[in-house]
Amino acid sequence: MIATPPSRSAHLEKVLIAGGGIGGLATALALARRGIASTVLERRLLFGEDGAGIQIGPNGTRILEMLGAASALKPRVTAPDALRILDAATARPLGTFPLGRWIAERHGAPYWVAHRRDLHNALLVAAEREPLIRLRMGFDVTVVEEMGDTVTAVSSAADEARGDALIAADGAWSILRRDAFAAGTPVYTGKCAVRVVLPIEEVPEALNRTEVHLWLGPDVHVVHYPVSAGHGVALVAVFDDRQVAADWSAPCDRAWVMARTTGFAPLLQDLLAKPEHWRRWSLMRLARRPRVAVGRTALLGDAAHPVLPFLAQGGVMALEDAVVVADALATDPGDPAHALAAYARRREARVRRVAQASRMNGVIFHLSGRMAAARNMVLARTPPERFMRRYDWLYGWTPPQSE
Ligand SMILES: Cc1cc2nc3c(=O)[nH]c(=O)nc-3n(C[C@H](O)[C@H](O)[C@H](O)COP(=O)(O)OP(=O)(O)OC[C@H]3O[C@@H](n4cnc5c(N)ncnc54)[C@H](O)[C@@H]3O)c2cc1C
């Protein structure tokens, strides 16, 4: 009897990942944990992750621990004691809700705040140590072709990479989503986020604590928390804005921001007056949800579902996607298209719920008049732990059992 060699599709040799951001690197690490090799194709020549702060709930820190990235990040984070909500006009406290030890004990994983660059760097350090992961910098994926059992990614310089499947983790402005998934371009929400990281010394003492601060006002909210091992404070303000910024990181000056702070409490105005230069980021949404998996190609992270930053979960959703797609491919390595369809199904309800909760927060944060007064009364009257228990469904998410 002549032994036939196993068909190529019976074994997953290599997965291509377009985009080496938070989702792309996490996917490569999650695949490596399951013994699957990957090549990450990143369009930038060098990683210089700017960005500002990122909040990483227990559903995210649990995954970072699993992927071997938590230990590198830990010295650079703060585990804030609480979420403190204030009225932007009066600086009146509206409520203080437990994070810190309370949330870590409740969910078995901490709540961290960090500089986005430190999170990316921790994932990168872990990926560079992993022999099953190859990083190709300066590779901007422009075309993806599927033929038989092979997916080919082609760059604008006509470089090619081949694999058994491709995960498109190329961010909120995903070219691949537009082309391969015919999903259209993002639509502007009418809101923008301005952001900056300040040295801690520049933050008024009254605010200089290990807490996440959330200031609420009509059509505006401001968030700040410590980053870079407590040496900096990430500051984000979300305003209504008619003008779409042309890129992620449009420069924006102090005068632009201060013109929008009329009526703010002096403490908040003083804080917002500190930075001379900000970055402005227009908040976009997709008019309709794309198909997440098509054949041997699937979308992941912001490419699949750019969520608005009102629940601080966009990056964490990319981490969750990463462990689920790796689990799906490891469970069904002989049929990547089937595995990717299963991944898309497994993420659908979760991502939709997070996106809805985030949108709802956006509405609640920006209320005015009587509706804002009613919101403030609910915040004042709800016992803090009961308030936080409402988010058990969010922070209590655990990765697939087979992990
Ligand atoms: C103001 C603001 C605050 C936020 N705060 C939080 C928060 O507190 N917590 C949280 O969890 N999330 C937060 N987010 C969201 C979070 O930053 C994103 O959800 C997260 O970065 C998504 O990761 P990603 O890997 O999908 O995309 P990205 O991190 O954007 O990575 C995409 C990568 O793909 C590369 N790329 C793009 N096109 C190509 C191509 N054609 N070929 C090859 N490479 C390509 C890019 O260079 C980049 O490296 C916030 C977002 C905003 C706007």
Side-chain angles (χ1 to χ4, degrees):
M1 198 172 108
I2 301 168
T4 47
S7 95
R8 196 168 167 277
S9 63
H11 180 65
L12 200 59
E13 280 172 18
K14 188 173 70 184
V15 174
L16 300 177
I17 300 168
I22 292 168
L25 292 178
T27 302
L29 288 166
L31 287 169
R33 285 191 77 253
R34 311 301 294 265
I36 300 171
S38 64
T39 300
V40 178
L41 309 168
E42 167 57 48
R43 77 167 164 202
R44 285 175 291 175
L45 286 169
L46 282 174
F47 285 120
E49 283 289 318
D50 52 358
I54 190 157
Q55 302 185 50
I56 315 168
N59 51 327
T61 55
R62 190 179 287 123
I63 295 169
L64 294 175
E65 183 66 50
M66 176 198 287
L67 299 182
S71 55
L73 182 58
K74 197 172 177 186
R76 305 286 303 157
V77 306
T78 299
D81 300 329
L83 165 67
R84 171 183 287 251
I85 306 183
L86 303 114
D87 186 313
T90 61
R92 183 167 66 92
L94 300 175
T96 301
F97 303 96
L99 297 173
R101 187 188 289 180
W102 184 87
I103 203 163
E105 281 174 2
R106 184 159 187 85
H107 295 298
Y111 193 108
W112 283 349
V113 288
H115 198 298
R116 209 170 158 282
R117 182 178 50 215
D118 290 332
L119 169 60
H120 186 264
N121 203 39
L123 291 165
L124 184 62
V125 166
E128 283 173 343
R129 273 204 305 258
E130 174 51 65
L132 286 172
I133 300 175
R134 185 173 168 221
L135 286 171
R136 278 180 77 174
M137 302 301 290
F139 193 117
D140 60 328
V141 181
T142 48
V143 176
V144 173
E145 289 164 345
E146 185 175 328
M147 205 173 295
D149 289 349
T150 303
V151 182
T152 306
V154 186
S155 78
S156 58
D159 288 331
E160 290 190 0
R162 288 193 181 78
D164 304 299
L166 182 137
I167 309 297
D170 54 337
W173 293 92
S174 171
I175 292 173
L176 301 180
R177 176 182 63 215
R178 196 189 59 202
D179 295 350
F181 296 80
T185 45
V187 182
Y188 184 44
T189 58
K191 292 189 189 291
C192 78
V194 292
R195 59 189 205 281
V196 75
V197 174
L198 278 177
I200 192 95
E201 303 76 41
E202 291 195 26
V203 178
E205 288 251 324
L207 299 172
N208 200 339
R209 307 167 186 233
T210 57
E211 287 167 350
V212 178
H213 286 73
L214 169 63
W215 303 75
L216 304 180
D219 295 323
V220 66
H221 77 275
V222 178
V223 182
H224 55 92
Y225 48 80
V227 296
S228 310
H231 295 298
V233 167
L235 185 53
V236 181
V238 176
F239 297 107
D240 281 357
D241 180 21
R242 275 197 295 264
Q243 229 184 346
V244 191
D247 73 50
W248 294 103
S249 235
C252 167
D253 62 17
R254 182 190 284 149
W256 191 95
V257 174
M258 294 316 289
R260 284 157 180 80
T261 63
T262 317
F264 281 16
L267 185 60
L268 181 57
Q269 266 187 335
D270 286 353
L271 178 67
L272 296 173
K274 297 278 178 197
E276 202 171 323
H277 303 291
W278 295 72
R279 295 281 169 187
R280 188 160 66 100
W281 182 337
S282 297
L283 302 180
M284 313 297 286
R285 64 178 176 80
L286 288 178
R288 64 192 148 82
R289 289 165 52 79
R291 277 180 68 192
V292 169
V294 175
R296 289 171 172 247
T297 308
L299 299 171
L300 181 139
D302 276 5
H305 42 69
V307 290
L308 296 170
F310 303 126
L311 195 61
Q313 280 284 322
V316 177
M317 284 302 105
L319 296 175
E320 288 189 7
D321 285 354
V323 289
V324 174
V325 79
D327 183 67
L329 286 166
T331 306
D332 198 355
D335 192 346
H338 189 254
L340 294 180
Y343 147 73
R345 275 197 307 279
R346 283 167 62 180
R347 292 299 293 153
E348 195 181 343
R350 168 80 175 165
V351 166
R352 188 180 301 130
R353 188 171 182 190
V354 170
Q356 268 169 2
S358 184
R359 264 198 312 276
M360 184 53 74
N361 266 5
V363 173
I364 294 169
F365 287 2
H366 290 195
L367 289 172
S368 54
R370 279 195 206 158
M371 297 297 280
R375 173 202 64 204
N376 296 350
M377 198 184 298
V378 171
L379 288 173
R381 291 195 178 162
T382 312
E385 293 184 4
R386 191 197 303 164
F387 179 90
M388 289 306 293
R389 283 199 293 271
R390 288 183 188 163
Y391 292 97
D392 280 356
W393 66 271
L394 181 65
Y395 300 128
W397 188 89
T398 50
Q401 288 311 308
S402 46
E403 274 289 325

